[in-house]
Amino acid sequence: MEQKYKILSLDGGGSWAILQVLTLKDIFQKKYPRKEIKGHEVLRHFDLVIANSGGSMVLAALACNWTFDEIIKLFDDKTIREKIFKKLNFWQRYFPVNFMRLFGVKSVGTRYSTTDKKKTLENILRINNKTKLNDVTLSELPKIIGKESFEIVVTTFDIINKRAKLFRSNKKSKARAEVIAGLSHFDEVSLVEAIHGASNAPVNYFDFRLL
């Protein structure tokens, strides 16, 4: 019998991300009713995970080996949410945002700090509450998860060049754009850096300081 190739797709959207966590929790609780399941065990059931936006946050929490309840808290806890999505103060906003607000227009311009978002993700995302996820490259993660054949793909959007950008764990993947283009370059990034790019809302919500 031919072996099945299992793919976990984690899509974007805040509320949709929570639904994905609840769905995975329901599936694994039924499969292992007397066992507390953590992220690494979930990921080892699959051969490939591909994530974007809120779904990439779920992936990061699974990679940190959190329980489902800990992952839900990442989205449900107001204190954590406000640390990740920290509003810009008056002086951090760009013209004409402040000027327009004088006339009661509040829906225009950047709202949240990408700098603070990245710093917060670096601090709270830790593998087994120890090693910072930001200190581990994507290519190193499969071994830490416990399945070296496991592949990770995080989809982002390159706003400068206006095209999709995929970050991968598999350096040998024949699907890499660099390979198709005949290049040997490989973007060696951490999962935190990848989800930082994947979780940016439109420019209307975030300032342009990406690093």
Side-chain angles (χ1 to χ4, degrees):
M1 183 176 178
E2 188 177 349
Q3 188 176 0
K4 292 182 179 179
Y5 190 83
K6 298 179 181 179
I7 300 173
L8 175 61
S9 176
L10 299 171
D11 205 351
S15 57
W16 182 242
I18 296 174
L19 286 174
Q20 292 172 133
V21 179
L22 292 174
T23 301
L24 285 171
K25 181 179 180 180
D26 183 63
I27 292 171
F28 280 88
Q29 280 187 336
K30 287 178 179 177
K31 189 175 180 68
Y32 304 103
R34 295 180 180 84
K35 185 178 180 182
E36 183 180 60
I37 303 299
K38 291 190 174 184
H40 288 184
E41 185 165 355
V42 173
L43 294 175
R44 286 197 297 267
H45 276 77
F46 299 92
D47 299 292
L48 166 70
V49 60
I50 183 165
N52 176 55
S53 192
S56 69
M57 295 275 198
V58 176
L59 168 58
L62 290 170
C64 285
N65 206 28
W66 291 0
T67 64
F68 288 117
D69 289 339
E70 288 173 326
I71 298 173
I72 291 170
K73 188 177 179 181
L74 178 65
F75 297 93
D76 198 41
D77 190 304
K78 183 180 178 182
T79 303
I80 296 175
R81 285 202 315 270
E82 290 182 348
K83 284 183 179 179
I84 297 173
F85 304 114
K86 187 176 180 181
K87 289 186 177 181
L88 296 168
N89 61 40
F90 180 87
W91 302 108
Q92 290 174 319
R93 299 189 193 107
Y94 298 124
F95 179 84
V97 178
N98 292 331
F99 179 76
M100 295 294 286
R101 284 174 179 267
L102 294 175
F103 295 90
V105 180
K106 298 182 179 180
S107 61
V108 175
T110 58
R111 297 182 182 182
Y112 303 102
S113 168
T114 55
T115 304
D116 288 323
K117 175 166 73 74
K118 187 170 186 287
K119 286 180 180 178
T120 300
L121 292 174
E122 289 173 350
N123 288 330
I124 68 175
L125 295 174
R126 294 172 181 265
I127 302 171
N128 293 318
N129 295 317
K130 295 178 181 179
T131 305
K132 282 190 174 183
L133 189 62
N134 191 56
D135 292 337
V136 178
T137 64
L138 269 177
S139 61
E140 294 171 330
L141 265 179
K143 186 175 182 179
I144 293 174
I145 290 168
K147 186 176 182 180
E148 293 194 46
S149 62
F150 181 66
E151 293 193 41
I152 301 167
V153 178
V154 178
T155 67
T156 68
F157 183 74
D158 184 342
I159 193 171
I160 296 175
N161 295 304
K162 295 182 173 57
R163 63 185 181 188
K165 174 69 178 178
L166 305 182
F167 291 105
R168 300 175 180 271
S169 62
N170 186 1
K171 296 181 180 182
K172 298 179 181 179
S173 172
K174 295 180 180 179
R176 284 172 46 216
E178 296 86 357
V179 172
I180 295 171
L183 303 174
S184 59
H185 175 70
F186 179 79
D187 286 314
E188 192 73 88
V189 300
S190 70
L191 182 53
V192 172
E193 290 171 309
I195 69 168
H196 177 54
S199 61
N200 271 353
V203 176
N204 190 48
Y205 295 95
F206 283 92
D207 62 332
F208 201 68
R209 291 170 294 179
L210 299 180
L211 300 176

